[in-house]
Amino acid sequence: MDRLQYLQVERISTRIRKYNWELFPHRHSDLFQIAIVHSGTGRVNFDIESRTLRPHMAVLLPNGVMHNFELSANADIDLMTVDADYFQFNVRQVVEAAAEACFVHPDSVAFDPQGVEWPALRSSFDNAEAHQNVARSRTRNALLAANLVAIISILSDQLSHAHLPEEKAGHVGLYLRFRDLVEASYASRQTIADYAARLAVTEQSLYRACKAVSGVSPSKLVQQRLVLEAQRLLLYSDMTVSEIAYALGFTEPSAFSRYFSERTGQSPVKCRARRLG
C-alpha cells in the first residue's frame, strides 16, 4: 500500500470553527502530525503538558500522543498528517543520528519570521498541499516526498536540542530501539535485564545509551512511560482505577495506587479529579 496516501495538509481553523475553536483530546496510533501557526493564538495540550501557541511556531505530535487544540477565533494553522512509519523512515534518511531523538516526543519550536527557515517551511507545506490531491503518479509522490524531506530538515535544524555532542550521537540508535521496545512492552513489567537481552546488549551499554540521550536511566524511562499511560487513562478514559491497574500489569489496585503516588506526588483519584474540574 502506498503510504503517501496518508500524507495530508489541511487548514485546521476550517475544521475547528464548528467546535467552538476547540478540538477535544484524541490520539492517533499510526499517524505523525506537524502543525504550523500562521496567525492567532491558543494552546496545544499533549498528554499532561500544555504549550502556548503563537505565530511562527511549529508543533510536533508523534503518534500515540494524546493531544488537543484550544484556539482563538483568528487562529490560522496548517496541520500535516502523515503515516508515522513513513515519516520515521524519512527522518532516518535525512537527519544525522544524533537528531533522530528530537522526533520521538511532542515538542514546539519558534521561528524567526525574518529568517529564511520560516518561509521555507511554509513553502514546503503549501507545495505539499498543492500536490496532495493530484492524480497518483511517480511525479506526484516524488514531489510530496521532497517537501516532507524539506520539512524534516528544517525542523531538525531548528530544534535546539537536536544536536547532541558527537560523543553521544552513537548512542541514539540503541536508545530508539529501546524506546520502541518499551512502547510495546511497558505494561508487561519486564526487567531491564530482559530488555537488554532482547536488544542483544549488556545492561551497562543500555544504561550508557539512555543516560547519554535522555539523561535518565532505562528503569526510569520505563517508569515514566508506565506513569504516562496511567495519567492518560485517568484523564481521558472512563476506566476505573482498578481496571487501569490491571490493564497496566499490576496484580492489585492498591499496588498501582502506591506506585503512582510515589512517582507523581498524588493519588490516582486526585489525578482524575483534575479532569473533573
Side-chain angles (χ1 to χ4, degrees), residues 12 34-39 54 56-59 76-80 111 118 121-123 125-126 151 155:
I12 194 173
I34 304 168
I36 61 171
V37 184
H38 300 291
S39 62
R54 300 183 181 87
H56 316 116
M57 176 180 284
V59 178
D76 187 7
I77 296 177
D78 280 338
L79 180 70
M80 173 176 283
F111 285 78
W118 179 252
L121 184 65
R122 289 192 58 170
S123 176
F125 263 73
D126 291 343
I151 290 167
L155 290 172

Side-chain angles (χ1 to χ4, degrees), residues 184-243:
S185 311
Y186 61 85
S188 65
R189 314 307 298 278
Q190 296 184 48
T191 66
I192 300 304
D194 293 331
Y195 282 112
R198 292 176 65 184
L199 293 166
V201 299
T202 65
E203 290 182 63
Q204 292 78 8
S205 295
L206 182 57
Y207 179 87
R208 286 194 296 270
C210 291
K211 287 288 286 186
V213 177
S214 70
V216 298
S217 67
S219 59
K220 184 70 171 179
L221 287 169
V222 176
Q223 292 173 17
Q224 289 174 343
R225 182 61 186 89
L226 191 63
V227 168
L228 173 60
E229 192 63 25
Q231 290 169 321
R232 285 174 173 171
L233 295 173
L234 288 165
L235 294 173
Y236 302 114
S237 83
D238 294 324
M239 295 171 66
T240 67
V241 172
S242 293
E243 289 171 338

Side-chain angles (χ1 to χ4, degrees), residues 88-116:
Q88 294 297 345
F89 168 80
N90 279 279
V91 167
R92 291 190 293 272
Q93 304 305 307
V94 174
V95 306
E96 298 175 355
E100 288 185 41
C102 72
F103 293 101
V104 170
H105 305 290
D107 207 347
S108 60
V109 57
F111 285 78
D112 178 359
Q114 305 304 318
V116 298

Side-chain angles (χ1 to χ4, degrees), residues 12 30 40 74-75 89 136 153 180 194 232 256 262:
I12 194 173
D30 54 1
N74 63 337
F89 168 80
R136 297 188 184 283
S153 298
D180 288 342
D194 293 331
R232 285 174 173 171
F256 164 67
E262 289 170 358

